[in-house]
């Protein structure tokens, strides 16, 4: 005996519950005073003898006193749930079980003993309401009941237990022997024993413990046993079904193996290696590979023929041959290029974008003339939601080629492009090889989406890996690391998409033919909503135009008041929201038809987000035009004189370095040319000016706000304001030159969306301006300025 298992009490009471014939008899032990311990999980029953483990720290004093004062007798009471750290007298039930403690030992900070159930008791009152708990106990009086009926129930319980034991293999032979110690003449102990061997909940067993009538207990326990038998039958059936299925699978496996062996002996079947070799040769014979591919294939087939099928090298070689024979060597789809058909497809799938469609038709025309449309890498650049990806799909349909798209956004591993080397476990070819395998032709249309969002990490630079792919002079001999074969990608039509050009490496951008998608004006958005978005959303929701209708003025109000962004993605979300809310009305109010007008639109979506009169105006307030990833936007700039204590100026609005330099140049230019603008020569000597670009939480940068900031400072210094809706864009130098800027189309569309009908542009932007479609320029007065003095005359003298 170790020091950790020292017995607490020296006195061991003899067991007095066993008669001479080996059968258990209930001993009349009914002490008035009991020490009490709570137990969780399941209550203890008089017929049970099982080990218990309790905390030494909490209950050592209780067990010691029970051993000394009560001759190893202890009260156990079932507590359903212990709320908090301690147990209180209110947590105890009214009925518990008297047990005798035997073989009490310490074990790793706990106390373990065997609790032999003896008698039910009822708590009359608490003599101590904190540990050690002491109660005054009273016991159930014996109730006279029909002996024959009790005996019948006892026999039924014994039979039920035997049936349960035959069904459930978890019960051991010792339990069977223990059951043999009970007889029908001891119904109370038998009933408690039967309840204890079930998996019933603690609450159900507590109900059995609290019943004073043996007959009522037997009825309750019979129900628990029947439930247990049904569960055991179900478990047995499930186990039998599983075993049957397993045996059937084993039988089929052995029969198949025997069949293979017999067929092999008779020469009717080949082994796996021979089958693989013949399969690969058959697949390769259907292709038209170049000579270097055929040579590599023969080498790998020869290697496969001598390898053991169980070796790892066999699996690597087999996978490699599978890729070689699945690649479409020499398989090309026939182009079906027709100018008229291409125009119909583009007009059917896209409204607006006339300049983009014209550029695509030019591309097709050049392909028809030279009988090959490969060689150009198209790059669609524009804000989200303008249809870059869908135009790529339309091009593939117009050409009659298969289409494959994968996104480059967030790609950090160059192996995604050029493949892994075969020395690595789990190596795979790059996305381009997978694209050709999936399309089953060597000249599909492959769309590289989000080319401006390629990542870079220690694993490599995917953008650099694309240089070989997208260079028409190099991609005829593209080398994938996994295939380790030269692959001709010159026949593939690559289409790339991007939201901006700043993050695309210049060498990569130099290889692409750029097409700008600037965004849509209101009329184009209305056409898109009527012809494409609304019908598609109705079909998606299993509705028709007769069920829900929307008027043209409502669509215009929706676009101008809620969806002024460059693309149409937000417009589609709003239309979908209108349909969802209309469906709710149809289901709740049982409406047969719903018509959406301007009034009901605002009931569904709330007040408009944008208003016509939202342009800021006043002295020192000028509206500029800017380009962002989301398209063109109007950019108001404010200037105010803060105080006259000292000279200087302050910038706010989360401006980037370029805009800060533009503001500094504008301030210096105005101070150097006071007389030209009729500004008091002493104005700036003591004036501290604050220049702010609203929406301070939005980062802003770019070389197009120079003349706008200059005009705001001049307006402040002269006290003159612009009394008409006017916007401008352009950079300024210290000598007053107005430099050209980009994004002219996007900026004009933004001004049109904000109902601005007069715009000042740099004189150097005239070539870009002339390329714009007439419907974008219509209704707007344009001024062109070479020097800032031209801007001053337009703004303050007209």
């Amino acid at each position: 005996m170790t020091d950790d298992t020292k017995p607490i009490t020296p006195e061991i009471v003899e067991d007095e519950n066993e008669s001479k014939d080996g059968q258990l008899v209930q001993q009349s032990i009914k002490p008035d005073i009991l020490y009490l311990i709570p137990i969780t999980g399941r209550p203890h029953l008089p017929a049970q003898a099982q080990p218990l483990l309790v905390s030494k720290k909490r209950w050592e004093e209780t067990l010691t006193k029970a051993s000394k004062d009560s001759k190893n007798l202890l009260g156990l009471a079932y507590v359903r749930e212990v709320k908090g750290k301690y147990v209180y007298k209110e947590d105890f039930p009214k009925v518990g079980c008297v047990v005798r403690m035997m073989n009490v030992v310490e074990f790793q900070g706990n106390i373990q003993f065997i609790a032999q159930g003896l008698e039910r008791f009822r708590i009359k009152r608490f003599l101590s309401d904190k540990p050690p708990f002491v109660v005054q106990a009273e016991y159930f009086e014996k109730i006279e009941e029909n002996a024959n009926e009790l005996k019948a129930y006892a026999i039924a319980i014994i039979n039920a237990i035997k049936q349960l034991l035959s069904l459930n293999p978890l019960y051991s032979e010792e339990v069977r022997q223990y059951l043999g110690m009970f007889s029908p003449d001891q119904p109370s102990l038998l009933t408690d024993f039967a309840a204890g061997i079930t998996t019933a909940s603690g609450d159900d067993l507590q109900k059995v413990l609290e019943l004073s009538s043996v007959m009522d207990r037997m009825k309750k326990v019979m129900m628990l046993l029947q439930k247990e038998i049904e569960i055991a039958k179900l478990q047995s059936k499930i186990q039998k079904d599983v075993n049957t299925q397993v045996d059937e699978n084993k039988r089929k496996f052995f029969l198949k193996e025997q069949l293979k062996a017999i067929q092999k002996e008779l020469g009717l079947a080949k082994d796996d290696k021979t089958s693989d070799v013949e399969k690969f040769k058959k697949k390769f014979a259907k292709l038209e590979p170049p000579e270097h591919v055929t040579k590599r294939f023969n080498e790998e087939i020869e290697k496969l023929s001598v390898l053991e099928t169980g070796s790892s090298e066999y699996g690597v070689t087999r996978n490699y041959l599978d890729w070689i024979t699945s690649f479409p060597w020499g398989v090309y789809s026939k182009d079906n290029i027709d100018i008229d058909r291409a125009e119909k497809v583009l007009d059917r799938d896209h409204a607006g974008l006339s300049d983009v469609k014209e550029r695509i038709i030019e591309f097709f025309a050049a392909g028809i003339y030279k009988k090959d449309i490969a060689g150009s890498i198209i790059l669609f650049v524009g804000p989200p939601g303008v249809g870059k990806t869908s135009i790529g799909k339309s091009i593939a349909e117009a050409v009659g080629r298969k289409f494959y798209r994968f996104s480059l956004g967030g790609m950090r591993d160059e192996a995604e492009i050029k493949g892994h080397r075969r020395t690595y476990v789990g190596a795979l070819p790059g996305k381009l090889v997978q694209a050709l395998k999936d399309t089953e032709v060597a000249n599909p249309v492959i769309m590289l989406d989000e080319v401006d969002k390629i990542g870079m990490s220690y694993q490599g630079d995917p953008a650099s890996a694309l240089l070989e792919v997208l260079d028409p002079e190099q991609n005829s001999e593209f080398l994938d690391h996994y295939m380790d074969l030269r692959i001709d990608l010159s026949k593939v039509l690559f289409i790339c998409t991007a939201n901006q050009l700043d993050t695309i490496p210049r060498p990569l951008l130099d290889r692409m033919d750029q097409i700008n998608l600037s965004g849509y004006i209101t009329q184009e958005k209305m056409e898109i909503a009527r012809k494409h978005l609304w019908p598609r959303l109705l079909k998606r929701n299993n509705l028709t135009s007769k069920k829900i209708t929307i008027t043209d003025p409502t669509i215009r109000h929706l676009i101008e008041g809620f969806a002024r962004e460059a693309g149409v993605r937000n417009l589609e979300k709003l239309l979908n929201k209108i349909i969802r809310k209309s469906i709710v009305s149809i289901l709740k109010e049982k409406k047969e038809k719903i018509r959406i007008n301007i009034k009901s639109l605002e009931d569904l979506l709330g007040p408009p987000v944008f208003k016509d009169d939202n342009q800021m105006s006043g002295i020192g307030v000028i509206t500029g035009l800017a380009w962002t990833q989301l398209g063109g936007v109007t950019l108001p700039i404010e200037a105010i004189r803060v105080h006259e204590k000292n000279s200087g100026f302050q910038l706010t609005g989360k401006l980037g370095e370029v805009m800060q330099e533009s503001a500094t140049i504008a301030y210096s230019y105005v101070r150097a040319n006071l007389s030209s603008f009729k500004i008091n020569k002493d104005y700036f000597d003591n004036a501290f000016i604050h220049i702010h670009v609203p929406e301070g939480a939005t980062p802003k940068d770019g070389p197009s706000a120079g003349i706008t900031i200059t005009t705001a400072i001049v307006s402040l210094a002269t006290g003159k304001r612009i009394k008409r809706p006017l916007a401008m864009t352009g950079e300024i130098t210290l000598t007053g030159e107005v430099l050209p800027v980009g994004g002219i189309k996007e900026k004009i569309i933004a001004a049109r969306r904000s109902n601005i009908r007069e715009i000042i542009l740099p004189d150097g932007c005239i070539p870009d301006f002339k390329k714009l479609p007439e419907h974008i320029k219509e209704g707007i007065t344009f001024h062109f300025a070479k020097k800032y003095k031209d801007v001053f005359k337009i703004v303050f003298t007209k």
Side-chain angles (χ1 to χ4, degrees):
M1 180 178 295
T2 64
D3 293 339
D4 294 333
T5 57
K6 295 177 181 179
I8 290 181
T9 61
E11 179 183 5
I12 301 296
V13 181
E14 295 291 336
D15 183 85
E16 300 175 6
N17 279 6
E18 188 174 343
S19 65
K20 294 179 180 179
D21 57 0
Q23 290 186 336
L24 289 177
V25 295
Q26 191 168 7
Q27 188 180 26
S28 178
I29 299 178
K30 299 180 180 179
D32 292 334
I33 306 301
L34 279 175
Y35 286 92
L36 193 62
I37 281 183
I39 58 174
T40 57
R42 287 160 60 95
H44 201 92
L45 296 169
Q48 286 182 310
Q50 61 183 21
L52 289 180
L53 191 70
V54 297
S55 170
K56 177 182 177 182
K57 182 178 179 182
R58 295 287 305 279
W59 304 110
E60 181 180 21
E61 184 180 358
T62 302
L63 296 181
T64 303
K65 289 187 176 183
S67 175
K68 182 178 179 181
D69 301 341
S70 301
K71 298 183 179 180
N72 284 351
L73 297 181
L74 180 69
L76 299 181
Y78 165 69
V79 176
R80 177 188 299 177
E81 182 180 4
V82 178
K83 298 178 181 178
K85 188 176 180 180
Y86 301 103
V87 181
Y88 302 96
K89 69 176 184 177
E90 293 79 9
D91 298 329
F92 287 95
K94 293 297 183 183
V95 178
C97 179
V98 180
V99 300
R100 171 176 282 119
M101 299 184 297
M102 299 188 299
N103 298 341
V104 184
V105 294
E106 290 183 20
F107 181 73
Q108 296 181 354
N110 295 313
I111 298 176
Q112 180 177 318
F113 62 92
I114 295 176
Q116 181 183 357
L118 300 175
E119 182 75 43
R120 286 173 173 77
F121 73 91
R122 186 183 291 111
I123 299 175
K124 190 174 181 180
R125 65 189 180 92
F126 274 84
L127 301 179
S128 172
D129 56 1
K130 60 182 180 180
F133 292 105
V134 183
V135 298
Q136 183 178 357
E138 61 181 5
Y139 299 89
F140 290 85
E141 295 181 3
K142 187 174 182 181
I143 301 174
E144 293 294 332
E145 298 180 85
N146 190 314
N148 293 330
E149 192 172 356
L150 289 175
K151 189 171 184 178
Y153 264 100
I155 294 172
I157 288 176
I158 291 174
N159 291 334
I161 294 174
K162 289 180 178 179
Q163 185 180 359
L164 180 61
L165 296 181
S166 65
L167 291 171
N168 196 334
L170 295 177
Y171 296 103
S172 62
E173 185 63 29
E174 287 79 3
V175 177
R176 299 173 188 269
Q177 295 175 359
Y178 192 52
L179 178 61
M181 293 188 291
F182 293 100
S183 72
D185 297 329
Q186 298 172 307
S188 180
L189 285 175
L190 178 64
T191 305
D192 290 338
F193 169 75
I197 66 172
T198 66
T199 59
S201 66
D203 291 344
D204 287 337
L205 295 181
Q206 181 65 25
K207 291 177 182 178
V208 173
L209 186 67
E210 292 177 356
L211 291 173
S212 58
S213 171
V214 177
M215 181 62 68
D216 292 342
R217 275 185 242 152
M218 298 179 95
K219 291 178 180 178
K220 176 73 174 175
V221 170
M222 274 300 297
M223 293 175 61
L224 297 178
L225 285 172
Q226 288 300 324
K227 182 179 179 181
E228 205 74 19
I229 289 170
E230 292 300 323
I231 294 174
K233 284 182 178 179
L234 183 59
Q235 290 176 339
S236 179
K237 182 179 181 301
I238 293 172
Q239 187 65 38
K240 184 178 179 181
D241 292 344
V242 171
N243 291 337
T244 302
Q245 185 65 36
V246 171
D247 293 341
E248 182 68 18
N249 291 338
K250 286 181 180 178
R251 190 175 70 87
K252 288 182 179 180
F253 173 77
F254 288 126
L255 288 175
K256 286 179 180 178
E257 291 299 316
Q258 290 174 359
L259 181 60
K260 285 182 182 179
I262 294 171
Q263 289 176 337
K264 188 175 180 180
E265 288 295 326
L266 295 176
L268 300 176
K270 304 179 178 97
D271 60 10
D272 292 340
K273 185 194 300 184
T274 306
S275 178
D276 285 341
V277 169
E278 291 190 358
K279 180 184 73 172
F280 290 137
K281 286 183 176 179
K282 186 176 180 181
K283 287 175 65 177
F284 196 72
K286 297 178 182 179
L287 305 173
E288 298 179 12
E291 184 178 349
H292 70 281
V293 177
T294 304
K295 181 180 177 182
R296 174 65 62 81
F297 174 78
N298 292 332
E299 291 173 356
E300 295 295 327
I301 279 289
E302 185 177 349
K303 183 197 295 184
L304 189 74
S305 302
V306 299
L307 290 172
E308 291 295 329
T309 56
S311 67
S312 59
E313 184 68 17
Y314 182 88
V316 172
T317 305
R318 187 185 183 283
N319 288 339
Y320 180 72
L321 285 168
D322 188 32
W323 276 101
I324 285 184
T325 55
S326 299
F327 191 87
W329 303 105
V331 179
Y332 299 97
S333 60
K334 186 177 180 181
D335 291 339
N336 181 21
I337 311 175
D338 182 82
I339 294 288
D340 295 333
R341 178 173 172 272
E343 285 183 338
K344 289 179 181 178
V345 170
L346 291 173
D347 290 336
R348 181 198 69 195
D349 295 341
H350 304 276
L353 302 176
S354 56
D355 53 336
V356 176
K357 293 177 184 176
E358 182 180 349
R359 175 66 184 84
I360 294 171
I361 294 301
E362 293 172 1
F363 174 74
F364 285 161
I368 293 173
Y369 192 77
K370 66 179 181 180
K371 298 181 181 179
D372 184 13
I373 67 168
S376 294
I377 313 298
I378 300 175
L379 171 63
F380 289 122
V381 183
V386 294
K388 301 185 293 295
T389 303
S390 56
I391 284 181
K393 294 180 181 178
S394 299
I395 291 175
E397 183 180 348
V399 178
R401 291 191 180 187
K402 293 187 176 181
F403 180 79
Y404 188 91
R405 171 195 169 274
F406 67 90
S407 177
L408 298 174
M411 184 179 290
R412 295 178 176 273
D413 188 355
E414 66 178 18
E416 294 282 339
I417 303 295
K418 304 197 73 171
H420 304 83
R421 301 189 186 277
R422 277 196 289 162
T423 53
Y424 298 111
V425 176
L428 284 173
K431 287 286 187 182
L432 296 168
V433 173
Q434 295 180 36
L436 298 184
K437 177 190 174 185
D438 290 348
T439 56
E440 299 178 345
V441 290
N443 62 337
V445 175
I446 296 181
M447 171 163 280
L448 307 177
D449 228 348
E450 311 292 355
V451 73
D452 58 326
K453 298 178 180 62
I454 301 177
M456 186 184 299
S457 71
Y458 67 92
Q459 294 170 313
D461 181 9
S464 299
L466 281 176
L467 294 176
E468 181 184 0
V469 175
L470 300 182
D471 191 338
E473 301 299 325
Q474 299 181 41
N475 62 11
S476 60
E477 292 190 351
F478 172 73
L479 180 65
D480 182 90
H481 291 157
Y482 179 86
M483 301 285 282
D484 199 22
L485 295 168
R486 296 291 175 180
I487 299 170
D488 185 5
L489 298 178
S490 62
K491 304 298 182 183
V492 177
L493 175 56
F494 289 100
I495 300 176
C496 304
T497 70
N499 295 131
Q500 60 179 348
L501 300 178
D502 299 348
T503 56
I504 302 177
R506 298 307 300 179
L508 184 60
L509 186 61
D510 185 58
R511 287 162 166 78
M512 302 186 224
D513 191 359
Q514 179 181 334
I515 299 178
N516 291 312
L517 286 78
S518 305
Y520 302 102
I521 61 177
T522 300
Q523 192 59 38
E524 291 173 335
K525 284 188 176 183
M526 286 187 64
E527 190 175 354
I528 292 170
R530 279 200 310 266
K531 290 184 177 180
H532 301 284
L533 302 181
W534 186 254
R536 186 170 66 205
L537 291 172
L538 289 176
K539 184 178 180 181
R540 187 185 300 170
N541 290 279
N542 197 24
L543 295 167
T544 63
S545 57
K546 295 180 180 179
K547 195 76 172 177
I548 302 178
T549 58
I550 186 169
T551 63
D552 287 352
T554 306
I555 296 177
R556 177 178 288 275
H557 183 67
L558 175 66
I559 293 168
E560 294 180 346
F562 297 87
R564 288 190 182 180
E565 76 283 351
V568 293
R569 192 166 289 151
N570 189 45
L571 176 60
E572 182 177 9
K573 291 178 182 178
L574 292 171
L575 290 171
N576 197 25
K577 184 176 181 179
I578 291 169
I579 290 178
R580 292 198 310 269
K581 288 182 175 291
S582 300
I583 293 174
V584 173
S585 299
I586 291 173
L587 296 176
K588 281 189 173 182
E589 302 172 17
K590 308 297 182 184
K591 290 184 178 180
E592 294 294 329
K593 185 177 180 180
I594 290 182
R595 181 180 176 85
I596 309 297
N597 52 35
I598 294 177
K599 183 180 182 303
S600 60
L601 179 69
E602 295 191 2
D603 292 337
L604 294 171
L605 301 180
V609 178
F610 304 99
K611 297 180 180 179
D612 291 339
D613 58 348
N614 64 341
Q615 290 301 313
M616 301 172 65
S617 62
I619 296 174
V621 180
I622 307 296
T623 300
L625 297 173
W627 179 91
T628 69
Q629 295 183 39
L630 302 178
V633 294
T634 56
L635 194 69
I637 294 178
E638 303 171 314
I640 189 173
R641 187 174 183 175
V642 181
H643 57 73
E644 299 180 1
K645 295 180 179 180
N646 60 292
S647 177
F649 74 98
Q650 178 184 6
L651 292 174
T652 56
K654 207 169 186 181
L655 307 181
E657 291 184 5
V658 176
M659 284 193 72
Q660 292 180 31
E661 291 180 357
S662 296
T664 304
I665 293 170
Y667 181 77
S668 299
Y669 171 73
V670 174
R671 291 201 66 173
N673 296 273
L674 297 177
S675 60
S676 300
F677 307 127
K678 299 179 181 180
I679 299 173
N680 189 332
K681 63 179 182 179
D682 300 326
Y683 181 85
F684 288 101
D685 291 344
N686 299 314
F688 187 85
I689 296 174
H690 186 168
I691 300 172
H692 176 65
V693 184
E695 295 190 23
T698 305
K700 309 168 193 73
D701 201 7
S704 61
I707 64 171
T708 313
I709 298 174
T710 305
T711 306
I713 296 174
V714 171
S715 172
L716 176 66
T718 59
K720 296 180 180 179
R721 61 181 295 174
I722 302 177
K723 298 180 180 180
R724 62 192 189 276
L726 180 145
M728 61 186 71
T729 182
E731 189 55 285
I732 192 172
T733 67
L734 284 173
T735 58
E737 297 287 334
V738 179
L739 301 180
V741 293
I744 296 299
K745 182 178 179 181
E746 291 87 347
K747 293 173 181 178
I748 294 174
I749 291 174
R752 179 179 286 277
R753 284 199 300 264
S754 298
N755 204 26
I756 294 173
R757 293 294 180 258
E758 191 173 356
I759 299 175
I760 299 175
L761 298 174
D763 188 72
C765 293
I766 291 178
D768 293 334
F769 175 79
K770 290 182 177 180
K771 296 177 184 179
L772 299 178
E774 289 300 323
H775 70 276
I776 291 179
K777 299 183 286 186
E778 185 180 359
I780 299 179
T781 301
F782 292 94
H783 306 281
F784 296 94
K786 286 185 178 181
K787 293 182 174 291
Y788 182 74
K789 291 180 180 179
D790 300 331
V791 178
F792 180 78
K793 291 177 183 178
I794 296 167
V795 174
F796 295 107
T797 61
K798 289 190 177 182

